[in-house]
Amino acid sequence: MPEITVNMAAGRTDEQKAGMMRDITQALVTHLGVAAEDVVIQINEAPLTNKMKGGKTFVERKAAQGK
């Protein structure tokens, strides 16, 4: 049973996350030959204030993009 964990910044809609999980499931079915019912996917979301890249939190990066 393949189990996939996705770590990402919070902010996507439930529909976006469900679509991503469906696409990942289908990729495993296609490439690994497993049944969709055997695929487990978990999303771990971090608030934008708790995630940093390049020395700036994702909140700071988002604010800089808006300027």
Side-chain angles (χ1 to χ4, degrees), residues 47-61:
L48 299 182
T49 55
N50 293 359
K51 199 161 181 79
M52 182 176 278
K53 181 178 178 183
K56 294 182 181 178
T57 67
F58 276 44
V59 171
E60 294 166 332
R61 295 172 63 82

Side-chain angles (χ1 to χ4, degrees), residues 23-63:
D23 288 349
I24 292 170
T25 298
Q26 187 55 49
L28 295 174
V29 168
T30 299
H31 297 288
L32 300 183
V34 298
E37 295 78 22
D38 293 333
V39 176
V40 176
I41 300 173
Q42 176 177 319
I43 297 174
N44 295 327
E45 291 183 284
L48 299 182
T49 55
N50 293 359
K51 199 161 181 79
M52 182 176 278
K53 181 178 178 183
K56 294 182 181 178
T57 67
F58 276 44
V59 171
E60 294 166 332
R61 295 172 63 82
K62 190 173 183 176

